[in-house]
C-alpha cells in the first residue's frame, strides 16, 4: 500500500512591512529636541510616579522577601533596587523594580492601550542608563519612546479577553527604550521589535480576578526581558520578519491594525494622554469610588458604616466582574468593588493601608462589603470606551437613599488630576519610605533630568535604604 503525503508549501521569509520600516526609522532617529514640551513634562511626571509606586510597593512582605532571596548582598556597581536599600545586577534590578511597581495598583496607565506602559519601561531604562552613561535627556527620550511603542501595540491590537495586558506588549516597549539608549540604527530597531515580540508573556486575566499575586511579576519580567533583548540582538539573534503582526494578529490578540502603529507618529504622544491613579485599587473601581466620594462630601465628609443598610453599584461590564465580597488577600481586595467601597467608607479614602491585611481582616469592613452589591448596567457598558459610568446608591437604615453617578474616572484624560495632585501622590507614597527630605531630594533630581549629564545623582538617592525597615 502506497501512502501519499502532501508536502507543505515552501515557506519563504516575507519582506519587512513598510509600516515597520517607517516605525524603525522614527525610533532610531528620535532625539530629545523632537519631544514637545508637554511630552517632556508628562514623562517626568511618569518617572516620579513610577519611582514612588515602586518604593511603596517594595515595602510589602512579598517584595521584601523576594529582594532578600534574589539579591541577598549589595553589589556596589549594580543598579538600585528602589526602596530596598541595595544594588544588584541590571537585569535583576529591572525585574524587582517592575514587580514592586505593580504591587499596590497605583502605577499610571493609558486608557487607549488598556494597560500600564510606564511601569513596563521605566525600570529597564533606569537600570540600563548608568551602564550606558545616558544623560538625563537620553533617559527622558528613551522612556517616552518605549512608552509610545508599547502603548501603540496595545492600541493596534485587541488582546484576547482571557489575557492580562501586563507582561505582553510592554516587553517590546522596554526593549525599544533600551535599544534607543544603545543607539540602534533602523535595522537594529526592526530586529529589536521582532525579537521582543516573541518574548512577551501569555498572561492570564484570571490572576487578577482570583488574587493570584504572580500577576505582580508580569511587569517585572517585561523590564528584565527588555534588557535581555538588547543582548540577544547585539549577539546576532534574529526574529521573524513581522513578529508583531504574527503575535498580536494571530497568537495572543485579534484585530491587528498595523496602520495604528504609525498613525500621527511623532504628533500624538501616548504618554501625554495617560492617566494617574489616586485610589489604590483596580481602575475599574475608580468611577464608583469617585461617585462615593461625592455622596460622602454631600453628607459632611463621613457616613457611619453601621447606618448603612446596603450599597448598590450599577456599572459597566468590566467593573461589574469585580463583584466578589470576600477577598482572600490584598490583591483580591483591590479587585473587589464591594471591598473597595467598604474600606473607603471606613477609612475615608482608598489609601494603601485601606487594602493591607489589617483592613482586609477587619470585621466591620468585611461585614459592610457583604452589603455591597454590584451589577452590570448595559447602558453603561454601551458607553465604553469613551466613558466609564458608575452609579452608587446607598440605602440607610433610616430609610434615606443617597445616590451619585460618575461618568469617567478622576485622573483620566477627560478629567485629569492637577500637577499638584500628582505631586502630592508622589509624596504620599515616598515619604513613608524615605522621609520628607529624601523624598524631596529624589523628586528634585527627577525634575532636574533635562539638565543632568548622567543618572548618578538620582541613582544614588534611589539606592538609599528605607526608614521603614529594621
Amino acid at each position: 500500500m502506497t501512502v501519499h503525503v502532501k508536502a507543505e508549501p515552501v515557506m519563504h521569509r516575507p519582506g519587512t512591512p513598510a509600516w515597520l520600516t517607517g516605525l524603525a526609522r522614527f525610533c532610531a532617529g528620535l532625539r530629545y529636541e523632537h519631544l514637545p514640551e508637554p511630552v517632556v513634562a508628562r514623562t517626568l511626571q511618569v518617572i516620579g510616579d513610577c519611582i514612588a509606586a515602586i518604593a511603596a510597593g517594595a515595602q510589602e512582605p512579598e517584595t521584601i522577601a523576594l529582594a532578600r532571596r534574589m539579591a541577598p548582598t549589595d553589589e556596589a556597581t549594580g543598579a538600585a533596587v528602589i526602596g530596598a536599600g541595595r544594588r544588584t545586577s541590571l537585569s535583576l534590578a529591572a525585574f524587582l523594580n517592575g514587580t514592586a511597581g505593580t504591587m499596590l495598583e497605583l502605577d499610571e496607565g493609558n486608557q487607549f492601550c488598556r494597560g500600564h506602559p510606564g511601569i513596563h519601561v521605566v525600570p529597564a531604562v533606569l537600570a540600563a542608563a548608568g551602564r550606558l552613561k545616558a544623560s538625563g535627556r537620553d533617559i527622558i527620550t528613551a522612556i517616552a519612546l518605549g512608552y509610545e511603542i508599547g502603548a501603540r501595540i496595545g492600541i493596534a491590537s485587541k488582546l484576547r479577553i482571557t489575557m492580562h495586558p501586563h507582561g505582553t506588549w510592554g516587553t517590546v516597549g522596554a526593549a525599544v527604550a533600551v535599544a534607543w539608549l544603545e543607539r540602534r540604527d533602523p535595522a537594529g530597531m526592526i530586529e529589536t521589535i521582532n525579537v521582543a515580540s516573541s518574548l512577551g508573556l501569555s498572561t492570564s486575566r484570571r490572576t487578577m480576578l482570583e488574587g493570584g499575586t504572580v500577576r505582580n511579576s508580569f511587569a517585572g519580567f517585561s523590564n528584565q526581558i527588555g534588557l535581555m533583548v538588547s543582548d540577544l540582538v547585539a549577539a546576532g539573534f534574529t526574529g521573524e520578519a513581522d513578529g508583531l503582526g504574527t503575535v498580536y494578529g494571530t497568537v495572543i490578540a485579534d484585530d491587528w491594525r498595523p496602520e495604528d502603529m504609525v498613525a500621527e507618529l511623532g504628533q500624538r504622544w501616548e504618554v501625554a494622554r495617560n492617566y494617574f491613579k489616586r485610589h489604590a485599587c483596580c481602575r475599574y473601581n475608580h468611577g464608583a469610588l469617585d461617585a462615593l466620594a461625592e455622596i460622602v462630601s454631600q453628607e459632611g465628609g463621613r457616613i457611619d458604616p453601621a447606618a448603612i443598610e446596603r450599597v448598590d453599584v450599577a456599572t459597566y461590564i468590566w467593573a461589574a466582574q469585580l463583584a466578589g465580597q470576600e477577598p482572600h488577600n490584598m490583591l483580591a481586595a483591590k479587585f473587589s468593588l464591594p471591598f473597595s467601597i467598604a474600606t473607603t467608607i471606613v477609612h475615608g479614602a482608598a489609601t494603601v493601608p485601606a487594602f493591607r491585611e489589617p483592613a482586609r481582616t477587619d470585621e466591620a469592613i468585611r461585614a459592610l462589603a457583604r452589603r455591597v452589591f454590584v451589577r452590570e448596567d448595559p447602558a453603561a457598558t454601551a458607553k465604553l470606551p469613551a466613558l466609564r459610568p458608575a452609579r452608587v446608591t446607598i440605602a440607610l437604615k433610616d430609610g434615606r437613599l443617597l445616590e451619585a453617578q460618575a461618568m469617567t474616572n478622576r485622573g483620566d484624560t477627560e478629567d485629569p488630576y492637577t500637577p499638584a495632585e500628582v505631586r502630592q501622590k508622589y509624596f504620599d507614597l515616598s515619604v513613608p519610605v524615605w522621609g520628607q527630605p529624601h523624598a524631596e531630594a529624589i523628586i528634585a533630581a527627577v525634575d532636574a533630568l533635562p539638565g543632568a549629564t548622567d543618572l548618578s545623582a538620582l541613582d544614588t538617592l534611589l539606592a538609599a535604604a528605607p526608614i521603614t525597615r529594621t
Side-chain angles (χ1 to χ4, degrees), residues 222-248:
S222 276
N223 284 280
Q224 184 178 47
I225 294 169
L227 286 170
M228 294 173 66
V229 167
S230 180
D231 291 330
L232 286 167
V233 172
F237 285 79
T238 61
E240 56 187 274
D242 182 10
L244 290 180
T246 299
V247 172
Y248 291 91

Side-chain angles (χ1 to χ4, degrees), residues 113-239:
C113 70
R114 301 171 295 277
H116 301 257
I119 201 60
H120 287 79
V121 173
V122 171
V125 171
L126 292 180
R131 176 176 64 84
L132 297 174
K133 302 186 186 308
S135 70
R137 292 186 173 195
D138 290 339
I139 291 165
I140 294 166
T141 307
I143 289 171
L145 178 62
Y147 192 112
E148 187 72 16
I149 300 307
R152 281 178 176 266
I153 298 171
I155 291 169
S157 63
K158 185 178 181 180
L159 286 179
R160 293 186 174 171
I161 194 61
T162 51
M163 291 286 296
H164 193 303
H166 282 21
T168 56
W169 41 257
T171 303
V172 185
V176 167
V178 176
W180 190 90
L181 290 175
E182 296 268 14
R183 296 297 190 264
R184 296 271 183 253
D185 62 13
M189 283 293 183
I190 289 173
E191 210 62 78
T192 295
I193 292 169
N194 284 332
V195 169
S197 65
S198 294
L199 296 176
L201 306 180
S202 56
T203 55
S204 168
R205 181 181 178 85
R206 289 210 62 83
T207 54
M208 72 176 191
L209 298 177
E210 295 182 11
T213 53
V214 66
R215 168 259 189 198
N216 292 326
S217 70
F218 297 165
F221 281 115
S222 276
N223 284 280
Q224 184 178 47
I225 294 169
L227 286 170
M228 294 173 66
V229 167
S230 180
D231 291 330
L232 286 167
V233 172
F237 285 79
T238 61

Side-chain angles (χ1 to χ4, degrees), residues 137-463:
R137 292 186 173 195
D138 290 339
I139 291 165
I140 294 166
T141 307
I143 289 171
L145 178 62
Y147 192 112
E148 187 72 16
I149 300 307
R152 281 178 176 266
I153 298 171
I155 291 169
S157 63
K158 185 178 181 180
L159 286 179
R160 293 186 174 171
I161 194 61
T162 51
M163 291 286 296
H164 193 303
H166 282 21
T168 56
W169 41 257
T171 303
V172 185
V176 167
V178 176
W180 190 90
L181 290 175
E182 296 268 14
R183 296 297 190 264
R184 296 271 183 253
D185 62 13
M189 283 293 183
I190 289 173
E191 210 62 78
T192 295
I193 292 169
N194 284 332
V195 169
S197 65
S198 294
L199 296 176
L201 306 180
S202 56
T203 55
S204 168
R205 181 181 178 85
R206 289 210 62 83
T207 54
M208 72 176 191
L209 298 177
E210 295 182 11
T213 53
V214 66
R215 168 259 189 198
N216 292 326
S217 70
F218 297 165
F221 281 115
S222 276
N223 284 280
Q224 184 178 47
I225 294 169
L227 286 170
M228 294 173 66
V229 167
S230 180
D231 291 330
L232 286 167
V233 172
F237 285 79
T238 61
E240 56 187 274
D242 182 10
L244 290 180
T246 299
V247 172
Y248 291 91
T250 67
V251 180
I252 67 172
D254 302 303
D255 191 28
W256 171 242
R257 302 181 303 277
E259 64 274 12
D260 286 347
M261 293 298 298
V262 291
E264 299 180 275
L265 190 62
Q267 302 171 44
R268 186 196 76 226
W269 288 88
E270 292 308 316
V271 74
R273 56 177 193 159
N274 76 327
Y275 64 80
F276 293 103
K277 299 173 69 174
R278 294 297 306 268
H279 304 307
C281 58
C282 176
R283 180 170 171 262
Y284 296 160
N285 295 340
H286 288 208
L289 293 178
D290 291 340
L292 173 63
E294 183 178 337
I295 293 173
V296 172
S297 176
Q298 292 171 356
E299 290 297 300
R302 186 178 185 276
I303 299 176
D304 182 2
I308 297 174
E309 182 71 33
R310 63 180 285 152
V311 181
D312 289 281
V313 181
T315 186
Y316 56 95
I317 185 170
W318 306 125
Q321 286 185 334
L322 311 184
Q325 297 171 317
E326 300 278 356
H328 69 280
N329 63 9
M330 184 176 76
L331 182 62
K334 290 174 179 290
F335 283 84
S336 162
L337 220 172
F339 184 87
S340 297
I341 290 283
T343 197
T344 299
I345 289 172
V346 171
H347 283 89
T351 61
V352 172
F355 292 89
R356 285 186 170 140
E357 199 63 8
R360 191 192 68 80
T361 57
D362 183 288
E363 188 49 44
I365 297 175
R366 291 168 61 86
L368 181 55
R370 289 191 287 269
R371 304 199 300 275
V372 179
F373 303 92
V374 183
R375 67 174 179 85
E376 181 198 355
D377 177 359
T381 298
K383 291 180 170 63
L384 292 172
L387 301 174
R388 294 175 179 268
R391 179 174 293 278
V392 175
T393 304
I394 300 178
L396 299 179
K397 291 178 180 178
D398 65 7
R400 289 192 300 147
L401 288 179
L402 311 176
E403 188 173 70
Q405 182 174 16
M407 298 303 292
T408 60
N409 298 330
R410 283 291 331 271
D412 281 4
T413 301
E414 298 84 0
D415 188 13
Y417 289 120
T418 66
E421 288 174 307
V422 176
R423 182 58 57 95
Q424 185 58 52
K425 175 197 171 182
Y426 164 83
F427 284 117
D428 289 346
L429 294 179
S430 60
V431 168
V433 178
W434 288 302
Q436 186 75 30
H438 197 85
E440 289 179 354
I442 287 174
I443 201 63
V446 171
D447 291 341
L449 282 175
T453 57
D454 56 36
L455 184 66
S456 59
L458 177 58
D459 181 64
T460 298
L461 292 165
L462 294 180

Side-chain angles (χ1 to χ4, degrees), residues 73-99:
T73 58
D74 184 32
E75 299 183 18
T77 60
V81 183
I82 300 171
R86 72 192 70 186
R87 296 181 179 276
T88 189
S89 68
L90 308 189
S91 175
L92 188 51
F95 170 74
L96 291 171
N97 290 335
T99 299

